[in-house]
Amino acid sequence: MPAAALKPKPLPTQSTAKRSVQLDLPYVPVEKRPLPPGRPREWYVTHNRRLKAMRLAIALLDQGVYVPNQARNETIRSTAELIGVHPPSETTCHMVRALMRYSR
């Protein structure tokens, strides 16, 4: 049997599929799990702030904001409204810019 006959058939692309191929959605929140008990309150506040900053940084990158100086507080807050999270504080906005800065 020729080697070409053993190759698996490739998946259809957007241009060759009979019906449209669904692409990844830009932002879908993951299922929430309970946090570990017994930590100080400040740990939970910091943990949730980091998660929110990561979600906002990812959403900003999806929108085409790649440089921290493009991510002003107004931009970050409007993105938060767009993805459905509460408006971030000054500290969280600063953390979003720090994440964008150090990921380069």
Side-chain angles (χ1 to χ4, degrees), residues 5-6 8 18 21 23-25 27 29 46 49 52-53 55-56 65 70-71 74 77 81-82 88 93 98:
L6 297 176
K18 301 257 188 281
V21 176
L23 302 175
D24 290 338
L25 297 174
Y27 174 76
T46 306
R49 180 170 281 147
K52 185 177 196 175
R55 286 187 195 106
L56 287 168
V65 178
Q70 291 177 328
E74 302 83 37
R77 289 188 177 120
E81 185 179 335
L82 183 72
C93 290

Side-chain angles (χ1 to χ4, degrees), residues 58-77:
I58 291 167
L60 285 166
L61 290 170
D62 286 344
Q63 287 183 347
V65 178
Y66 301 112
V67 186
N69 62 4
Q70 291 177 328
R72 294 182 302 279
N73 288 354
E74 302 83 37
T75 309
I76 295 171
R77 289 188 177 120

Side-chain angles (χ1 to χ4, degrees), residues 22-45:
Q22 183 157 9
L23 302 175
D24 290 338
L25 297 174
Y27 174 76
V28 177
V30 294
E31 184 180 328
K32 292 185 178 184
R33 294 179 292 165
L35 293 174
R39 306 263 173 123
R41 180 170 174 17
E42 189 58 36
W43 183 88
Y44 297 106
V45 171

Side-chain angles (χ1 to χ4, degrees), residues 42-55 89-93 95-96 99:
E42 189 58 36
W43 183 88
Y44 297 106
V45 171
T46 306
H47 175 77
N48 288 330
R49 180 170 281 147
R50 285 181 184 145
L51 289 177
K52 185 177 196 175
M54 281 192 291
R55 286 187 195 106
S89 65
E90 293 283 328
T91 307
T92 306
C93 290
M95 195 177 284
V96 169
L99 280 170

